[in-house]
Amino acid sequence: MRKIHISHAKSGDVLAVDLFAANGSVLLSRGVRLTNGYIRSLAQKGVQYIYIIDDKQTYDIRPRPLISPTVRQQAVKKVYETMTALIEQKKLLSRVSSLDLGKEYENVFKDILDYLLKQEDLLINLSDLVISNGYFFHHSVNVATTVKLNTGEVGVVSQVFPGFPLRPIVRVIKNPAGEELKSPYEIDLRKQMNITIVKAV
């Protein structure tokens, strides 16, 4: 699979992971073939990036999510329900006390932390983080991100290393002319110091 910006999505692309709405419900399920209507709708809803299945060149690349889809969905749903209730202040006061609200959030955060603590060799997916100055977000890459190299080639990040956020292994899928390669190959940027990532595409 590979991660692409919604503006690069094409009719016929197949979703590789579920997309969730703001309330935590499934917006589109993995395996859905995108149409122009779906793509427009996703862009209007503020979806910026999606994962697509690319059988030819990146079928075996799988990013590891920061938290499981189930835990994420439950947490988003609970936060959405609570915030919706806060907007309707009168309903909130009659339905839930601040003590109950605190307990609900405590349970959500406990579920997330329990999940994270059980993960071995956890590498945080930086696209899931919000960092005030944005440095790490803008200067790091994640598995399945499509990138352009200083050689002009385009590739997909297939493996990242905690100590080397800008020196991942990249599977090159297009030559500098933008033509797809019949036989993609991988470059370990930790060993090829003259090759760098110019930007995510």
Side-chain angles (χ1 to χ4, degrees), residues 85-104:
L86 280 172
I87 291 170
E88 302 171 15
Q89 191 70 23
K90 289 181 183 176
K91 289 182 183 177
L92 176 66
L93 292 175
S94 65
R95 284 174 36 199
V96 66
S97 71
S98 59
L99 184 59
D100 293 334
L101 184 62
K103 263 300 196 212
E104 292 291 337

Side-chain angles (χ1 to χ4, degrees), residues 150-187:
N150 64 340
T151 59
E153 297 163 307
V154 173
V156 177
V157 175
S158 61
Q159 187 176 353
V160 292
F161 306 97
F164 303 93
L166 293 177
R167 309 304 292 172
I169 294 177
V170 175
R171 182 171 303 163
V172 178
I173 59 172
K174 291 184 181 180
N175 65 22
E179 301 162 337
E180 284 194 13
L181 300 178
K182 291 182 181 175
S183 299
Y185 61 94
E186 292 194 336
I187 299 174

Side-chain angles (χ1 to χ4, degrees), residues 82-154:
T82 305
M83 290 299 115
T84 302
L86 280 172
I87 291 170
E88 302 171 15
Q89 191 70 23
K90 289 181 183 176
K91 289 182 183 177
L92 176 66
L93 292 175
S94 65
R95 284 174 36 199
V96 66
S97 71
S98 59
L99 184 59
D100 293 334
L101 184 62
K103 263 300 196 212
E104 292 291 337
Y105 277 128
E106 181 181 337
N107 290 336
V108 167
F109 295 135
K110 183 181 180 304
D111 289 345
I112 292 171
L113 286 174
D114 285 347
Y115 179 84
L116 291 175
L117 291 173
K118 290 177 186 171
Q119 304 307 304
E120 293 180 12
D121 303 323
L122 178 69
L123 177 64
I124 294 175
N125 185 343
L126 293 166
S127 65
D128 289 336
L129 293 179
V130 177
I131 299 173
S132 59
N133 66 9
Y135 179 82
F136 288 111
F137 176 81
H138 293 293
H139 294 88
S140 300
V141 290
N142 300 313
V143 171
T145 301
T146 305
V147 295
K148 185 169 188 174
L149 303 175
N150 64 340
T151 59
E153 297 163 307
V154 173

